[in-house]
Amino acid sequence: MELQQLVDRIASEVTPGGAVADYIPALARVDPHAFGLAVATLDGEVFGAGRHERPFSIQSISKVFTLALALAENDDVWTRVGREPSGSPFNSLVQLETEQGIPRNPFINAGAVVVTDHLGLGASDRLLEFLRRESGNPGIGVDPEVAESELDHSDRNRALAHFMASYGNMRNPVDVVLREYVRQCSIAMSCTDLAKATLFLARHGVRNDGTRLLGVSAAKRVNAVMLTCGTYDAAGQFAYRVGLPGKSGVGGGIIAVVPGRCAICVWSPALDARGNSVAGVDALDRFTTLTGWSVF
Ligand code: GLU
């Protein structure tokens, strides 16, 4: 089946269900029934269906790109954050105390805050620059309404950051890091933009302009951490159903990587109890079933 036919078929078959995230009030205003899907192939072709050109809040999907940017500099970020699945909710505090302020992995909030701290001041601008280049869309920016709403409701993330600071695992002031972190989560992008920006992970670290961001093993490692930790405390279920490295966000987006073939982004804001898009996981499940393209 041609990829365009495939994405059209998937878009016509899935049914959005669940509830939108409302702990960040600005996120609660999106249409829960929206659905978009884009597949970008290694040669840069994009096949889209539904509202694949509509920007949405990327939220935790940003954590994949900040990790990649940090690893592109060096790998000492791994002295500050682990790479085991947490089995706990993405904003949990409990493990931090028993594990002396070292977060389990870079995709839970505590771990992502450490990675942002590692990148330092200007982290969100560097991220924006990277995302604009890879997607070829210079219009990508921060949604100011989401950023303000998130900053106003960031007590939990602030607590995580202060807790890690008490263990000496923060280099910059908590306020500065939190502002960068909230900006990165509040970036708005479409499925098409995100699928293109994820291609470097399908190309074993090589960017769309042919230059290399990551070595082959660093790219493999980012994909591995996505597979084991990328979909909150449902990463096992995601691997079981979809069989691809993936990263979700509470804005309802999920990116997924088929190494050597393509990158996929799906968006549908209604989430299940663990925070993953219901129609998004369903669409990716159908994609790997129909194509046979999983890593297993
Ligand atoms: N900005 C959100 C938070 O920090 C990201 C959560 C997510 O998408 O998992 O709570």
Side-chain angles (χ1 to χ4, degrees):
M1 195 187 306
E2 294 296 317
L3 275 176
Q4 187 59 53
Q5 274 176 285
L6 185 81
V7 294
D8 288 337
R9 172 172 166 184
I10 292 171
S12 70
E13 286 178 355
V14 295
T15 316
V20 299
D22 57 4
Y23 75 102
I24 299 169
L27 292 183
R29 289 179 213 131
V30 291
D31 171 10
H33 304 295
F35 179 86
L37 172 63
V39 178
T41 56
L42 288 201
D43 57 10
E45 266 195 290
V46 180
F47 303 89
R51 294 161 85 176
H52 62 102
E53 299 286 5
R54 162 89 200 264
F56 63 89
S57 192
I58 71 170
Q59 293 295 318
S60 276
I61 294 173
S62 64
K63 296 169 182 174
V64 172
F65 302 107
T66 48
L67 176 65
L69 291 176
L71 290 175
E73 283 172 11
N74 52 56
D75 59 7
D76 47 311
V77 69
W78 293 125
T79 60
R80 304 180 59 195
V81 63
R83 41 186 185 247
E84 289 296 341
S86 73
S88 307
F90 65 98
N91 55 5
S92 172
L93 271 159
V94 288
Q95 278 167 352
L96 271 184
E97 178 149 36
T98 48
E99 294 170 10
Q100 279 86 48
I102 305 290
R104 272 286 171 98
N105 69 65
F107 295 156
I108 52 173
N109 284 5
V113 166
V114 164
V115 174
T116 300
D117 178 47
H118 205 77
L119 287 170
L121 197 61
S124 55
D125 283 337
R126 282 170 63 192
L127 173 63
L128 270 172
E129 159 73 14
F130 176 79
L131 296 172
R132 287 173 183 152
R133 284 266 170 125
E134 294 310 290
S135 63
N137 179 0
I140 291 171
V142 172
D143 179 331
E145 198 196 337
V146 173
E148 197 186 318
S149 181
E150 185 164 341
L151 205 55
D152 285 348
H153 293 81
S154 58
D155 288 333
R156 172 70 75 124
N157 288 333
R158 213 170 279 279
L160 292 168
H162 278 295
F163 201 63
M164 292 188 290
S166 78
Y167 283 100
N169 198 11
M170 292 290 283
R171 293 177 178 167
N172 297 286
V174 165
D175 268 342
V176 171
V177 179
L178 251 269
R179 203 159 298 129
E180 294 287 349
Y181 172 78
V182 163
R183 280 192 90 225
Q184 82 180 50
C185 292
S186 305
I187 291 172
M189 289 172 75
S190 68
C191 291
T192 298
D193 293 334
L194 271 167
K196 287 184 182 170
T198 305
L199 274 173
F200 75 100
L201 288 173
R203 222 186 268 114
H204 309 291
V206 175
R207 296 177 63 161
N208 289 333
D209 66 2
T211 61
R212 185 171 278 288
L213 178 73
L214 296 176
V216 173
S217 44
K220 179 201 75 179
R221 287 169 180 158
V222 174
N223 282 329
V225 179
M226 285 169 76
L227 182 80
T228 52
C229 311
T231 40
Y232 310 117
D233 40 339
Q237 174 72 352
F238 186 83
Y240 177 87
R241 284 187 66 188
V242 177
L244 290 176
K247 180 74 200 88
S248 54
V250 293
I254 309 176
I255 55 170
V257 181
V258 186
R261 283 191 193 270
C262 64
I264 310 162
C265 179
V266 61
W267 170 60
S268 184
L271 310 177
D272 62 21
R274 302 273 173 81
N276 295 308
S277 167
V278 172
V281 177
D282 188 15
L284 291 168
D285 181 349
R286 286 167 196 265
F287 182 88
T288 51
T289 303
L290 291 167
T291 56
W293 292 354
S294 98
V295 294
F296 299 109

